[in-house]
Structures are given as C-alpha cells and as structure tokens.
C-alpha cells in the first residue's frame, strides 16, 4: 500500500507521524458536512421567513450546531481524527456563508414572494 | 449507520421542509387575499421546518466516517519484515532460472 507520510516534530519529545491521505479525507468530510449544513439551513431560513440579522444569526447557529455534532462524533479521543477542533469551526466559514445566502434568498423568493 | 439511512433521512427532511414551504406560501396568499398583514409564522409550521432541517443535517453528517490520522496506529501492528513486501515490484523475469535451474 503506497502512502505518503508527513513528519512533524512535537514541542515535547515525541515525534508525530501523520497519514496525509487520512487528514485530507477528514478535511473533505468536514467540508462536505459544512456545505450540506449551509444548504439545508439556508432553505430552512428562507422557508421560515427570516430576514436580515436574524438570517445571519441562524447561519451562525447552524454552523456552531454542525461543529458540535462533528466534535461529538469524533469523540473524546478526537486526536485520532483531527489535529485541531477549532479549525473545524473556522475553516470554510465564509465559503459556506455564500452558499447559505444563495439558498436562503432562493427559498425566501420561492415561498414568500412566489 | 448506513449510507442508505442517511439518504432516507435527507429525503424525509427535505419533504418536511417542502411541506412547510407549501403551507407558508398558502398562508401568505390567504393573508394577502384577506389583506391582513403577515406578522409571524405559526408555531407548528416553524417547528416542522426546523425539524425538517435538523433531520436533513443529521442525515448528511452522521453517516460520514473519519479516518485515523496517526500513522503510528496502523504501522504499530505490523512487523518490520512486512515493510519490505512490495508485491507490485516483484519481478519474475530474471536470471534465476539460468543460475539455479535444472542441471543439464
């Protein structure tokens, strides 16, 4: 099995070896979940008729909710899957925001303006 | 947790959301017809919409699996000799037959 590894030296005395393909896979999974969350919550915000700041507040709520879901899924031993939990929250924040706004305005137009 | 269950959950969540959307648009046209103003959404429609969104998000996220990133975990269980085993690089066309073959 061919596999490339990245070698990083820890601040302590331990040398950590990471499986690069697995890191990339996990980041892709988180990106997929974030896009799905943005799409579904955007459509939900449009259907519920949220406007202006309420809509953005709902987006922040949905992203934090997704973060809690993924952190719970990773479990207490999260270092098996992620190097940093905060990165899951902040990584694609504005990219997913645009997806959210797209679905939000579409659903709002469909339902409330029609 | 199979992928089929996740897809079913996404479909169910989207159906709930579409049902909510349809109800809200009907409510809006009714209010527009009666020339009442639209203040806020009824509680049951709001709950149905949120439930649909929650089911869809759960269906998309919960069926994904993570992979172990620490390479130590799976190389710790292997013996040292197994690292030299590269089956793709084994060749069968070499001089061995002439060197160690039949004595004729």
């Amino acid at each position: 099995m061919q596999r490339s590894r990245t070698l990083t030296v820890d601040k302590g005395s331990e040398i950590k070896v990471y499986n690069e393909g697995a890191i990339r896979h996990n980041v892709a999974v988180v990106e997929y979940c974030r896009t799905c969350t943005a799409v579904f919550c955007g459509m939900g915000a449009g259907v519920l008729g949220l406007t202006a700041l309420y809509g953005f507040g709902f987006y922040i709520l949905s992203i934090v909710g997704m973060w809690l879901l993924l952190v719970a899924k990773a479990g207490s031993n999260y270092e098996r899957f992620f190097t940093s939990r905060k990165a899951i929250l902040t990584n694609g924040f504005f990219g997913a925001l645009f997806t959210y706004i797209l679905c939000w305005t579409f659903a709002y137009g469909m339902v409330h303006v029609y | 947790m199979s992928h089929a269950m996740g897809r079913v959950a996404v479909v169910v969540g989207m159906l709930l959301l579409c049902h909510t959307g349809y109800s809200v648009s009907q409510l809006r046209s009714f209010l527009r017809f009666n020339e009442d103003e639209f203040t806020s959404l009824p509680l049951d429609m709001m709950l149905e919409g949120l439930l649909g969104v929650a089911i869809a998000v759960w269906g998309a996220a919960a069926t994904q699996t993570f992979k172990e990133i620490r390479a130590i975990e799976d190389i710790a269980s292997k013996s040292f000799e197994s690292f030299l085993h590269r089956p793709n690089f084994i060749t069968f066309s070499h001089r061995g037959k002439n060197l160690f073959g039949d004595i004729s």
Side-chain angles (χ1 to χ4, degrees):
Chain A
M1 182 174 61
Q2 305 296 326
R3 195 177 55 217
S4 67
R5 303 193 191 110
T6 55
L7 188 68
T8 55
V9 179
D10 196 16
K11 285 191 288 284
S13 57
E14 209 179 279
I15 296 181
K16 287 187 182 153
V17 180
Y18 290 120
N19 183 348
E20 187 191 319
I23 295 181
R24 209 179 304 132
H25 175 263
N26 290 348
V27 167
V29 162
V30 170
E31 192 64 38
Y32 173 79
C33 286
R34 194 178 299 114
T35 312
C36 287
T37 305
V39 165
F40 296 139
C41 291
M43 292 200 273
V47 161
L48 294 174
L50 300 176
T51 56
L53 281 179
Y54 289 119
F56 289 107
F58 189 69
Y59 170 69
I60 292 181
L61 214 67
S62 73
I63 286 295
V64 170
M66 180 215 77
W67 178 60
L68 292 173
L69 191 67
L70 288 178
V71 162
K73 189 178 169 58
S76 59
N77 209 4
Y78 71 95
E79 292 191 356
R80 289 169 59 199
F81 304 116
F82 297 108
T83 47
S84 125
R85 282 184 295 193
K86 202 174 81 158
I88 304 175
L89 178 66
T90 55
N91 247 346
F93 190 79
F94 289 105
L97 178 67
F98 285 123
T99 308
Y100 173 86
I101 290 177
L102 175 73
C103 297
W104 176 23
T105 49
F106 176 71
Y108 191 92
M110 280 287 110
V111 169
H112 291 268
V113 177
Y114 192 66
Chain B
M1 196 95 57
S2 63
H3 281 271
M5 197 160 89
R7 291 201 192 105
V8 164
V10 165
V11 166
V12 163
M14 281 294 103
L15 283 176
L16 277 177
L17 198 60
C18 289
H19 181 254
T20 310
Y22 191 67
S23 312
V24 169
S25 72
Q26 291 288 305
L27 177 73
R28 269 250 153 152
S29 57
F30 174 77
L31 290 176
R32 217 174 286 145
F33 182 73
N34 288 353
E35 291 173 20
D36 283 335
E37 56 173 65
F38 172 76
T39 48
S40 71
L41 214 53
L43 186 65
D44 57 344
M45 285 187 198
M46 211 183 312
L47 286 179
E48 189 187 355
L50 288 175
L51 186 67
V53 167
I55 291 177
V57 168
W58 179 84
T63 55
Q64 305 292 320
T65 50
F66 295 134
K67 286 198 178 141
E68 287 258 359
I69 66 171
R70 292 181 303 195
I72 288 180
E73 291 298 315
D74 59 7
I75 65 177
S77 55
K78 293 198 176 100
S79 67
F80 177 69
E81 282 77 20
S82 68
F83 290 148
L84 302 171
H85 176 58
R86 297 283 181 101
N88 280 339
F89 286 91
I90 295 178
T91 59
F92 295 100
S93 59
H94 50 73
R95 294 172 293 182
K97 190 170 88 159
N98 293 320
L99 289 174
F100 306 110
D102 305 331
I103 300 171
S104 57

